[in-house]
């Protein structure tokens, strides 16, 4: 389409402007580990992310307005409302993992949230906590305090983003738990529309924006296997890669195993076969 203007590239998505109010987000099959995009793609990964995000957008409309307008026949292109994105990432954690676990060990707190003593790695938190981060233009996002986040976006917007993020997480975590997947934590991106309303944008509740754990293997006191990226992480650990650019090429069995896990996550969560999605992406709506 000639009227489409390419306006940017993220790690995973290509962004196009459709007109003054609408954008097209095209999810590629690129995969990043430790924030480095690898030279090898995972076939259909972009379709899984697109379908899953659209599935959640459709089911969370009553909690929070979102940017979704339509998904295209290719299964990887999302037509959405153009938003003025907030400069913070809205992270919700329901379990103690990653940087949260590190901070807790050092201080008994995660981003200013005082937690009970004696929690183990991967333990479920008494209640989900909101731990905003800055959007790093390159490299790792940085955790910030509630006060810093409120300064960046304004007190009122901050409070609203926090309330919506926790509500969205709680809904999705309950839903996923019933389907054998623990959503340990997740990241939302909100933007403001032309009327000044806070709207959920980007992707949401996908394996790329969340930590998905297989519920049947869950055992606190250690790190949990990642639902989607475990094969890639294990492979990377076996090489002598130093986790900076450029990353290693992935062998065929790692690609196939990873693709299968992404599709499995899609099918478990949506209850829809991925072939059905490929035939008609609108089945998730
Ligand atoms: N509705 C929207 N309006 C404007 N920008 C958006 C919208 N939804 C998502 N974006 C932006 O599009 C980009 C998505 O590309 P992605 O590859 O996911 O980027 P990243 O490398 O930051 O994860 C992000 O910068 C995100 O903030
Ligand atoms: Mg992204």
């Amino acid at each position: 389409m000639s009227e489409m203007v390419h306006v940017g590239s993220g790690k995973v998505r290509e962004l196009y402007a459709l007109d003054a109010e609408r954008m097209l987000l095209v999810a590629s099959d690129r995969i990043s580990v430790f924030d480095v995009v690898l030279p090898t793609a995972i076939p259909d990964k972009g379709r899984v992310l697109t379908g899953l995000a659209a599935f959640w957008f459709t089911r969370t409309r009553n909690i929070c307005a979102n940017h979704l307008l339509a998904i295209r026949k290719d299964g990887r292109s999302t037509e959405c409302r153009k938003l003025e994105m907030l400069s913070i990432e809205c992270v919700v954690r329901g379990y103690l993992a990653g940087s949260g676990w590190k901070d807790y060990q050092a201080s008994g707190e995660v981003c200013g949230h005082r937690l009970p003593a004696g929690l183990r790695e991967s333990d479920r938190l008494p209640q989900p906590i909101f731990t905003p981060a800055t959007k790093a233009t390159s490299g790792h996002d940085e955790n910030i305090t509630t006060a810093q986040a409120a300064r960046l976006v304004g007190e009122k917007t901050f409070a609203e983003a926090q309330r919506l993020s926790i509500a969205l997480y709680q809904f999705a975590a309950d839903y996923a738990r019933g389907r054998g997947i623990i959503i340990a934590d997740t990241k939302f991106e909100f933007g403001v529309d032309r009327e000044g309303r806070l709207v959920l944008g980007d992707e949401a509740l996908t394996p790329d924006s969340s930590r998905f754990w297989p519920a049947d293997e869950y055992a606190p006191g250690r790190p949990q296997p990642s639902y989607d990226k475990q094969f890639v992480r294990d492979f990377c650990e076996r090489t002598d890669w130093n986790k900076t650019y450029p990353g290693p090429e992935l062998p065929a069995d790692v690609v196939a195993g990873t693709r299968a896990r992404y599709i499995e996550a899609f099918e478990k969560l949506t209850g829809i076969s991925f072939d059905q999605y490929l035939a008609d992406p609108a089945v998730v709506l």
Side-chain angles (χ1 to χ4, degrees), residues 10-13 15 23 25 67 80-83 85 135 189 201-202:
K11 284 192 291 288
V12 167
R13 286 171 186 75
L15 280 73
M23 303 203 359
L25 294 185
H67 71 168
C80 61
R81 284 199 283 153
K82 184 176 167 186
L83 304 171
M85 302 306 286
K135 265 191 218 176
E189 290 189 32
D202 202 50

Side-chain angles (χ1 to χ4, degrees), residues 11 35 87 89 133-142:
K11 284 192 291 288
D35 278 333
S87 57
E89 312 221 308
T134 55
K135 265 191 218 176
T137 34
S138 68
H140 303 274
D141 297 331
E142 233 175 87

Side-chain angles (χ1 to χ4, degrees), residues 179-280:
R179 284 160 179 75
I181 292 176
I182 291 172
I183 304 181
D185 50 41
T186 197
K187 177 214 63 171
F188 299 108
E189 290 189 32
F190 292 90
V192 177
D193 70 7
R194 297 215 310 181
E195 284 73 44
R197 281 182 305 231
L198 207 52
V199 175
L200 179 63
D202 202 50
E203 63 174 340
L205 300 158
T206 67
D208 270 20
S209 64
S210 323
R211 263 196 189 87
F212 282 6
W213 293 337
D216 58 359
E217 290 173 54
Y218 174 66
R222 56 161 171 81
Q224 306 303 299
S226 150
Y227 204 98
D228 49 304
K229 285 190 184 154
Q230 202 57 43
F231 295 115
V232 180
R233 294 222 180 104
D234 291 349
F235 169 77
C236 290
E237 298 294 351
R238 291 198 300 275
T239 66
D240 55 8
W241 179 44
N242 64 0
K243 295 170 187 162
T244 62
Y245 182 85
E249 297 262 7
L250 301 176
D253 61 323
V254 174
V255 172
T258 304
R259 178 177 184 276
R261 292 315 293 274
Y262 270 91
I263 291 172
E264 192 182 304
F266 174 95
E267 294 186 333
K268 272 198 174 182
L269 286 171
T270 64
I272 296 166
S273 88
F274 189 60
D275 282 343
Q276 238 182 305
Y277 176 73
L278 293 181
D280 178 15

Side-chain angles (χ1 to χ4, degrees), residues 1-6 16-19 22 72:
M1 269 192 221
S2 54
E3 71 271 25
M4 238 166 64
V5 183
H6 187 245
Y16 300 87
L18 292 173
D19 53 41
R22 296 181 310 138
R72 291 197 171 169

Side-chain angles (χ1 to χ4, degrees), residues 6 8-16 24-33 35-38 40-42 44-50 53 76-78 137 187 189 202-203 206-209 228-229 262:
H6 187 245
S9 306
K11 284 192 291 288
V12 167
R13 286 171 186 75
E14 299 300 328
L15 280 73
Y16 300 87
L24 192 70
L25 294 185
V26 184
S28 72
D29 292 335
R30 297 193 287 269
I31 185 166
S32 65
V33 249
D35 278 333
V36 175
V37 176
L38 300 181
T40 314
I42 307 298
D44 289 326
K45 173 176 172 285
R47 293 193 170 92
V48 167
L49 299 181
T50 301
R76 64 169 77 246
S77 303
T78 304
T137 34
K187 177 214 63 171
E189 290 189 32
D202 202 50
E203 63 174 340
T206 67
D208 270 20
S209 64
D228 49 304
K229 285 190 184 154
Y262 270 91

